[in-house]
Amino acid sequence: MTLTNDFSLIDADRCRQHGWRSTQNFYFTQNDTVVPLLVAELGRALPFYPLAFKQLNQNVYQLVALLGLHPGRNLFVDANGQWRVNYIPSPYRAHPFALMKVQMDNGNSQYMIGFDRR
């Protein structure tokens, strides 16, 4: 899953009146061709997904599940927005929340929780 400009940091004042509902469909994944996986997911994901390593920079690779062969086409979500196999990768189960790396004013970075505004 790619974090886009649609993700915002959670702000206690701005989000005070909001709540959480579980995902009703997976339409938000329909254009994804890869999704990052955690090592802890490997045993559950392996029976359902082809796995690969995506190069992030010269010496850094990320474990991903392949979801499609052509850009913009996720083969694991059907026309009704339902996931086709029994295991749903953790970034999608956590939706609309994601960890975001935020650059602080002092030059350090830290991870904060963001949410998808779409």
Side-chain angles (χ1 to χ4, degrees):
M1 181 164 87
T2 303
L3 294 182
T4 67
N5 291 337
D6 293 326
F7 276 82
S8 298
L9 291 176
I10 291 179
D11 177 277
D13 294 325
R14 196 177 57 201
C15 300
R16 188 174 312 282
Q17 301 301 317
H18 295 268
W20 179 82
R21 293 187 309 242
S22 63
T23 300
Q24 301 300 307
N25 63 63
F26 292 92
Y27 286 125
F28 66 93
T29 71
Q30 64 190 355
N31 295 321
D32 294 352
T33 53
V34 298
V35 62
L37 289 179
L38 300 171
V39 173
E41 295 181 272
L42 214 49
R44 301 280 316 270
L46 197 55
F48 300 105
Y49 303 100
L51 304 180
F53 289 98
K54 178 180 176 181
Q55 188 171 11
L56 300 179
N57 61 43
Q58 185 175 1
N59 295 317
V60 178
Y61 293 84
Q62 180 177 48
L63 177 64
V64 297
L66 300 176
L67 304 176
L69 302 174
H70 303 287
R73 177 74 175 104
N74 180 347
L75 299 174
F76 287 86
V77 64
D78 68 20
N80 297 318
Q82 300 306 301
W83 205 256
R84 294 178 187 245
V85 297
N86 290 336
Y87 184 73
I88 300 167
S90 63
Y92 297 152
R93 292 192 321 269
H95 188 268
F97 300 103
L99 283 179
M100 299 176 66
K101 190 173 187 178
V102 177
Q103 192 70 30
M104 307 306 285
D105 291 336
N106 64 8
N108 294 330
S109 60
Q110 100 181 44
Y111 286 94
M112 301 177 94
I113 296 175
F115 69 98
D116 189 345
R117 294 178 290 165
R118 291 178 283 171

